Amino acid sequence: MKKGTIVLLGILALVVLLFFNGCSSFNTMSKKEEAASAAWAQVENVYQRRSDLIPNLVNTVKGSANFEQKTLESVIQARANATSIKVDASKLSPEQIQKFQASQGELSQALGRLMVVAEQYPQLKSTEAFRDLTVQLESSENRITVERQKFNDIVKDYNSYIRVFPQVIYSKMFGFEKKGYFEADKGAEKAPEVKFE
């Protein structure tokens, strides 16, 4: 065989190898990206479950005489803000995740204030409807925590895969970008201050 033919066959073999490696990498990146999108949909689902409970909670609390209207209004406004933030699952950038997380955090804080104020109304706390709703809200918060962790694990797997060689070449070539994570809320590292008055 001529030297030129051997070189040509070597180049052809290398091109075929790169083509099949690229196809395999593309398929794996697509599957991992789809898994991240599915995990994101589940995160939205559990946040929506919590959001759906809030009108019932607000209506239950409204029935208590002299309940602080400002607290109820802040919960209603925070819910409206949180449900208005939509994140495209195909573009889960760190900035979009932070924006979504911030709006959900405001809702969590408003709900926390509502529960603190509700403590001052023993007749409200003793109603079965209020107790049931608080149990469901607690259950929703637990589900949110679990789904956020699952989402972060799947995104970590995806982000790690697209950043290693040779996938890093293919990820840039095919437009696969790093996705954002849920992070601890600001100030979460500090223990809350408890005051008894």
Side-chain angles (χ1 to χ4, degrees), residues 33 154-162 176-177 179:
E33 186 173 52
I154 289 170
V155 167
K156 178 185 173 195
D157 180 54
Y158 168 82
N159 286 344
S160 297
Y161 185 79
I162 69 167
F176 288 92
E177 296 178 4
K179 301 199 179 299

Side-chain angles (χ1 to χ4, degrees), residues 84-111:
S84 71
I85 303 293
K86 300 294 180 201
V87 177
D88 182 359
S90 66
K91 298 176 181 134
L92 295 169
S93 69
E95 296 79 25
Q96 286 187 320
I97 299 289
Q98 288 173 353
K99 186 176 178 182
F100 179 85
Q101 186 175 354
S103 69
Q104 294 296 334
E106 289 173 15
L107 179 55
S108 294
Q109 290 175 355
L111 282 171

Side-chain angles (χ1 to χ4, degrees), residues 9-187:
L9 287 175
I11 291 173
L12 184 60
L14 182 62
V15 168
V16 168
L17 179 67
L18 289 174
F19 174 77
F20 284 112
N21 187 284
C23 288
S24 175
S25 292
F26 178 84
N27 290 339
T28 302
M29 287 185 281
S30 295
K31 288 176 186 175
K32 290 180 182 290
E33 186 173 52
E34 191 59 35
S37 294
W40 177 253
Q42 188 56 27
V43 166
E44 288 183 317
N45 182 36
V46 293
Y47 274 113
Q48 184 63 48
R49 181 181 187 276
R50 176 181 74 170
S51 185
D52 291 345
L53 291 171
I54 292 171
N56 293 335
L57 180 65
V58 168
N59 287 334
T60 301
V61 170
K62 274 184 185 176
S64 291
N66 302 324
F67 197 85
E68 295 181 24
Q69 191 65 28
K70 184 178 176 184
T71 303
L72 289 174
E73 289 170 1
S74 72
V75 170
I76 293 167
Q77 183 60 46
R79 179 185 183 267
N81 293 343
T83 56
S84 71
I85 303 293
K86 300 294 180 201
V87 177
D88 182 359
S90 66
K91 298 176 181 134
L92 295 169
S93 69
E95 296 79 25
Q96 286 187 320
I97 299 289
Q98 288 173 353
K99 186 176 178 182
F100 179 85
Q101 186 175 354
S103 69
Q104 294 296 334
E106 289 173 15
L107 179 55
S108 294
Q109 290 175 355
L111 282 171
R113 287 190 296 275
L114 177 70
M115 294 305 175
V116 167
V117 171
E119 289 291 321
Q120 301 169 10
Y121 295 85
Q123 75 280 7
L124 173 63
K125 287 177 29 185
S126 66
T127 66
E128 185 176 342
F130 184 77
R131 284 193 318 263
D132 288 348
L133 286 168
T134 56
V135 166
Q136 288 182 42
L137 274 173
E138 183 179 330
S139 172
S140 290
E141 293 299 330
N142 291 336
R143 289 177 184 187
I144 287 168
T145 300
V146 167
E147 294 304 329
R148 281 174 49 154
Q149 180 59 48
K150 284 181 187 176
F151 173 79
N152 279 350
D153 290 343
I154 289 170
V155 167
K156 178 185 173 195
D157 180 54
Y158 168 82
N159 286 344
S160 297
Y161 185 79
I162 69 167
R163 294 181 65 199
V164 297
F165 185 80
Q167 285 79 12
V168 68
I169 296 167
Y170 299 122
S171 67
K172 293 201 184 304
M173 188 184 328
F174 296 123
F176 288 92
E177 296 178 4
K178 184 179 179 190
K179 301 199 179 299
Y181 294 100
F182 277 100
E183 298 175 359
D185 294 328
K186 295 194 184 324

